[in-house]
Amino acid sequence: MKKVLILGGTADAVRIAQSMSGNAHVLYSLAGRTREPNLPDCRIHTGGFGGADGLAAYIAENNIDALLDATHPYAATMATNAAAACQKAEIPGAKYLRPAWRAEEADNWIAAKDYEEAARLLSDMGDRVFLSTGSQNLAAFAIQKDKFFLIRAVEPPETIPFDIYSLFLARGPFERSGETMLLSKYDIQVVVSKNSGGPLAAKLLAARDRKTPVIMIDRPEPPEGDLIESEEGVIDWLAGT
Ligand code: NAP
């Protein structure tokens, strides 16, 4: 059986690791920032590897045959390091990247190329913002001194650079009705979101229902190399390595 390292930290990665474990020896790694993470039933590595060189060394020491980067689409540093480490260690590697969400006619999405642009775009929008992008990157939005921010994150942010805000700690998935109630309760006028992809998030359905505009932050460019868009594709990739 091949030994496969899956870089995880997402619900998709846990599912992929579980489904692959009948066909391969799976090692699953996560950054270690989340308390009580969901884990697959296999060998777990917690914490960073020390950049691309550290990861290449880990691959060699553990006789890894192939690497699947199944980290979140916005985990850009890990994706770049994974591609470089596979080259260095001379093993096949691929990035699992589920297809991005696409707006429908009933949606009012405004594209932002990054967090900073999203923050600038808020100047021309409502004063009550649902910042649903997690506990990191809040600093970019500190330029909006007079806005109210509803922050939702799994882990508490290290610092919150706003004067007017509510912090709501929760882990998805969420329900459409609950998200609609949340937007109404806080009188949200604009939602800021990453384009995580997969089944359309309930917050976006709620925004559609309420005709609330959404600032959608573009995905970072994926690294060069094999991209896999479906969980079935992962099994085919593994068979072909
Ligand atoms: P990142 O900026 O790309 O990575 C920063 C560093 O964290 C990496 O250089 C690596 O440290 C370590 N790291 C990241 N993922 C790792 C993994 N699966 N196993 C071992 N080390 C890992 O990543 P991020 O955006 O902070 O995300 C961190 C984790 O949260 C990822 O596992 C990702 O799947 C998950 N996540 C992220 C988001 C998001 O929006 N970014 C959303 C949901 C879940 P070294 O350089 O020391 O190896």
Side-chain angles (χ1 to χ4, degrees):
M1 268 204 204
K2 283 175 192 148
K3 211 167 175 187
V4 181
L5 173 61
I6 298 182
L7 306 178
T10 62
D12 288 359
V14 172
R15 264 199 320 279
I16 289 169
Q18 291 289 27
S19 68
M20 207 187 259
S21 53
N23 307 318
H25 287 299
V26 178
L27 276 74
Y28 178 94
S29 85
L30 69 172
R33 299 209 196 113
T34 310
R35 283 165 298 142
E36 300 177 28
N38 294 324
L39 293 174
D41 186 15
C42 64
R43 205 175 120 194
I44 306 292
H45 170 95
T46 305
F49 298 96
D53 288 348
L55 180 53
Y58 181 90
I59 289 168
E61 278 158 25
N62 289 277
N63 299 312
I64 306 287
D65 297 305
L67 179 149
L68 180 72
D69 172 11
T71 56
H72 191 269
Y74 288 71
T77 306
M78 191 71 253
T80 305
N81 289 350
C86 287
Q87 269 202 343
K88 192 167 175 147
E90 297 181 353
I91 62 159
K95 168 86 190 154
Y96 168 76
L97 197 61
R98 59 191 190 181
W101 296 319
R102 290 184 189 286
E104 292 190 3
E105 218 173 293
D107 294 317
N108 178 8
W109 293 7
I110 300 125
K113 68 176 186 322
D114 52 26
Y115 295 95
E116 287 70 25
E117 187 177 21
R120 285 194 299 275
L121 284 168
L122 284 175
S123 300
D124 299 325
M125 306 189 73
D127 286 335
R128 300 186 64 80
V129 183
F130 179 21
L131 196 49
S132 67
T133 47
S135 59
Q136 296 182 48
N137 304 296
L138 299 183
F141 296 89
I143 58 166
Q144 297 294 351
K145 294 277 172 237
D146 302 326
K147 308 258 178 196
F148 162 81
F149 287 97
L150 172 63
I151 308 160
R152 182 165 68 195
V154 177
E155 296 297 327
E158 277 177 14
T159 52
I160 299 181
F162 310 131
D163 294 332
I164 330 163
Y165 69 89
S166 278
L167 174 64
F168 179 39
L169 296 181
R171 191 198 304 250
F174 303 99
E175 301 267 327
R176 186 176 194 155
S177 57
E179 297 291 75
T180 303
M181 279 198 302
L182 188 74
L183 298 190
S184 297
K185 179 177 169 195
Y186 287 94
D187 193 18
I188 294 299
Q189 294 163 315
V190 51
V191 176
V192 181
S193 176
K194 290 187 267 203
N195 195 333
S196 299
L200 192 65
K203 64 187 172 190
L204 300 173
L205 293 168
R208 181 186 293 167
D209 293 343
R210 294 178 80 246
K211 303 194 189 322
T212 305
V214 176
I215 297 181
M216 189 62 77
I217 301 171
D218 289 345
R219 288 177 168 197
E221 280 295 315
E224 279 184 25
D226 286 350
L227 291 181
I228 305 173
E229 289 203 326
S230 69
E231 293 180 26
E232 302 74 55
V234 171
I235 304 298
D236 295 343
W237 167 77
L238 182 63
T241 56

